[in-house]
Amino acid sequence: MHDTKQQWFKDAKFGLFIHWGLYAVLAGEYKGKRTERIAEWIMNDLDIPVEEYRKLVGQFCPSKFDADALVKRAKEQWGMRYIVFTAKHHEGFAMYDSKVSDYNVVKETPYGQDIVRQLRKACDKYGMRLGFYYSQAQDWNDPDGYMYGKDNSRKNYRAYLERICFPQVRELLTEYGEISIMWFDTPMGTTPEESRELYELVKSLQPNCIISGRIGNDMGEYLTTGDNFIPSLPYEGDWEVPATLNDTWGYNQYDHNWKSPEEIIRLLVKINSRGGNYLLNIGPKASGEIPEESIAILDEVGAYVNANGEGIFGTKHVGIYTYDLDWGMFTRKDYKLYVHVFKPRIRLEFLNIGNKVTGAYLVSDKSELEYETCITCDGFRMIEVKVPKEYHGRKNYCICLETEEAEPMYQPIEKGTIPKAFWSRA
Ligand code: JFZ
């Protein structure tokens, strides 16, 4: 079981991933050819020669980038508690003023400003935690980086670690204030010793900086699932699902396969109900603007999160309920069971929850709800909550059942396996 030992991470539940780099200039297409893969992989997918790709620096001028507005919106409207930003992705281009490599946004673009510095300032202003995505093995700009020229046979990865990776991780962790997460990725052929060296470097500079699962060799402080892959069952310990709003991380002008706000709300609650954090991505355009579809979706998701944050932040994973509810999902805190309701109901019925309910309320305004409890003829507890009339046609709201017991107590579907204690409680 993974334990970050950082309560903020356990409570955070919802973070913002930002994938931004030179690939945004191409936006999914190069010389009339569209990539069919995730847009930040376009150099690799379309075999763009390094010298050709490097010329993109001359077109990177995100004059419309507004770090302050973005971080303010992410914190206050979208309800996100941390940001993970691509300081350097596989393309090898640093989105900050790196003294290690001139291939960076300050040194080589007409824009000439430090993106990370702007995010740092905005995160400090709005109390948002900041982390960095850093591609520690793949570097398509450096002959000693993995997947350079799609050939891993002649590289000196040790030289790459010492010349680029370690010094850049050092500058990121010494020049930009408190960093909450180092989000490493695709460790490729990294040896256990190399992962350990990277781990020790991070901890030597910022002991409280959490190291993500993809540092390699099982040395992550939390589990990073596969992209957009949600564990089917509740999972003990600290873990996170990196996920997209459409089908790409970096901006792709042709990817319109956006998930709906309702789908995102359900995914957030589903991940939280199983004990994980949802790290949800946006891919800014080359202009620095956030795709309007991303903003529209996250504004609506954020309205739910802000109204029902009590049932999201600081919750723990719930066990597997006896029945499959097609209209709702649970999250929980001690002595409180939250029910996120996704479809219109006039009554909420819960069979085989053995808990003694001591109160019920609507999370958004704390208004009390009427409820009844009975024991069915075959001996199972039935809890029934009356939905206020004004909510009969509503979906996407959350209620709280206050219980005498600290944890949810699901009764099995089969009688006879229930401890005697349940039978005595009417
Ligand atoms: C990696 C990157 O290659 C990709 O560009 C993006 O940044 C994503 C968040 O991370 O892609 C992966 C890495 C690992 C898995 C899947 C996609 N995995 O282990 O399933």
Side-chain angles (χ1 to χ4, degrees):
M1 185 173 91
H2 292 80
D3 183 359
T4 59
K5 299 187 180 55
Q6 297 288 322
Q7 193 58 43
W8 77 261
F9 183 84
K10 299 172 192 289
D11 293 345
K13 303 301 175 191
F14 196 25
L16 179 64
F17 217 165
I18 305 175
H19 274 70
W20 200 24
L22 292 179
Y23 39 79
V25 173
L26 299 178
E29 184 173 25
Y30 176 70
K31 291 188 175 173
K33 191 165 170 24
R34 296 182 187 184
T35 179
E36 295 300 317
R37 295 192 57 187
I38 42 185
E40 68 282 3
W41 272 73
I42 190 166
M43 178 181 173
N44 173 282
D45 184 43
L46 302 188
D47 294 311
I48 303 173
V50 174
E51 292 315 317
E52 273 300 299
Y53 192 85
R54 281 186 182 148
K55 289 176 187 168
L56 294 174
V57 296
Q59 299 173 57
F60 192 78
C61 193
S63 56
K64 294 185 178 168
F65 178 61
D66 184 342
D68 189 275
L70 173 57
V71 175
K72 177 180 172 64
R73 200 175 195 116
K75 182 72 184 293
E76 296 175 358
Q77 282 185 253
W78 300 347
M80 290 156 155
R81 295 294 170 91
Y82 61 106
I83 288 176
V84 177
F85 176 72
T86 50
K88 188 207 73 167
H89 204 268
H90 306 330
E91 65 181 5
F93 182 72
M95 293 290 275
Y96 67 96
D97 186 12
S98 174
K99 301 295 181 290
V100 175
S101 159
D102 285 351
Y103 193 44
N104 74 69
V105 66
V106 173
K107 192 81 178 185
E108 296 198 352
T109 72
Y111 179 65
Q113 297 175 57
D114 188 327
I115 301 284
V116 169
R117 182 71 60 203
Q118 294 174 67
L119 284 171
R120 170 76 280 163
K121 184 171 172 231
C123 285
D124 290 344
K125 180 175 175 184
Y126 296 107
M128 175 75 89
R129 286 184 175 274
L130 178 62
F132 296 135
Y133 170 109
Y134 186 84
S135 176
Q136 76 276 23
Q138 291 198 61
D139 188 326
W140 307 334
N141 181 65
D142 190 293
D144 289 326
Y146 275 98
M147 296 296 280
Y148 174 86
K150 290 186 169 182
D151 173 7
N152 288 331
S153 61
R154 294 189 309 280
K155 76 175 56 331
N156 179 344
Y157 182 51
R158 182 74 225 168
Y160 178 78
L161 285 170
E162 291 175 4
R163 195 163 35 77
I164 300 289
C165 176
F166 292 156
Q168 283 195 322
V169 168
R170 180 177 295 278
E171 58 186 4
L172 284 167
L173 291 175
T174 50
E175 303 296 325
Y176 294 96
E178 181 193 3
I179 303 307
S180 297
I181 295 179
M182 279 304 289
W183 211 96
F184 293 111
D185 195 18
T186 61
M188 294 267 164
T190 306
T191 65
E193 296 71 27
E194 289 161 344
S195 292
R196 172 59 56 194
E197 205 170 340
L198 188 53
Y199 180 98
E200 296 302 344
L201 172 61
V202 172
K203 291 299 181 183
S204 68
L205 297 169
Q206 296 210 26
N208 292 329
C209 179
I210 297 172
I211 294 168
S212 80
R214 294 181 189 166
I215 186 174
N217 298 295
D218 293 328
M219 289 186 198
E221 292 180 283
Y222 67 84
L223 172 87
T224 304
T225 68
D227 292 5
N228 290 295
F229 279 90
I230 300 171
S232 299
L233 299 173
Y235 191 82
E236 290 280 350
D238 294 338
W239 54 277
E240 178 189 73
V241 178
T244 53
L245 277 171
N246 47 11
D247 294 323
T248 180
W249 303 92
Y251 177 63
N252 184 333
Q253 62 192 304
Y254 302 110
D255 184 337
H256 304 296
N257 191 27
W258 301 101
K259 298 175 185 72
S260 70
E262 290 188 35
E263 195 177 349
I264 297 294
I265 292 167
R266 275 179 181 249
L267 287 168
L268 171 65
V269 172
K270 181 182 284 187
I271 292 165
N272 294 167
S273 72
R274 296 175 188 173
N277 288 1
Y278 192 26
L279 182 63
L280 187 55
N281 183 75
I282 58 171
K285 300 179 183 177
S287 63
E289 294 167 295
I290 311 306
E292 51 274 21
E293 298 89 343
S294 301
I295 293 172
I297 294 166
L298 290 173
D299 281 357
E300 203 168 320
V301 171
Y304 183 84
V305 173
N306 284 316
N308 302 291
E310 179 193 327
I312 292 170
F313 302 115
T315 58
K316 301 175 184 174
H317 81 270
V318 292
I320 303 166
Y321 176 44
T322 315
Y323 296 102
D324 181 22
L325 297 182
D326 71 341
W327 50 266
M329 270 182 237
F330 295 126
T331 55
R332 80 161 188 100
K333 289 174 183 168
D334 292 350
Y335 304 97
K336 288 177 182 271
L337 184 62
Y338 296 97
V339 188
H340 299 262
V341 182
F342 302 125
K343 288 182 179 177
R345 311 280 299 178
I346 56 171
R347 192 174 47 253
L348 303 177
E349 293 176 330
F350 306 97
L351 184 57
N352 289 50
I353 291 182
N355 292 83
K356 182 113 182 61
V357 176
T358 56
Y361 59 88
L362 204 59
V363 167
S364 56
D365 64 6
K366 306 293 181 285
S367 56
E368 282 191 25
L369 298 171
E370 291 176 49
Y371 67 92
E372 289 176 357
T373 302
C374 67
I375 301 296
T376 63
C377 52
D378 46 8
F380 294 110
R381 188 183 295 276
M382 169 70 93
I383 302 163
E384 187 180 301
V385 178
K386 203 160 172 250
V387 176
K389 263 200 181 3
E390 63 273 23
Y391 272 78
H392 283 182
R394 292 273 300 270
K395 55 188 176 182
N396 297 335
Y397 61 90
C398 182
I399 73 158
C400 176
L401 296 176
E402 295 171 297
T403 61
E404 202 170 86
E405 305 79 9
E407 300 195 9
M409 304 169 82
Y410 303 134
Q411 298 172 333
I413 202 162
E414 284 291 330
K415 186 179 164 185
T417 56
I418 298 175
K420 241 349 179 197
F422 282 116
W423 301 107
S424 59
R425 284 197 198 116

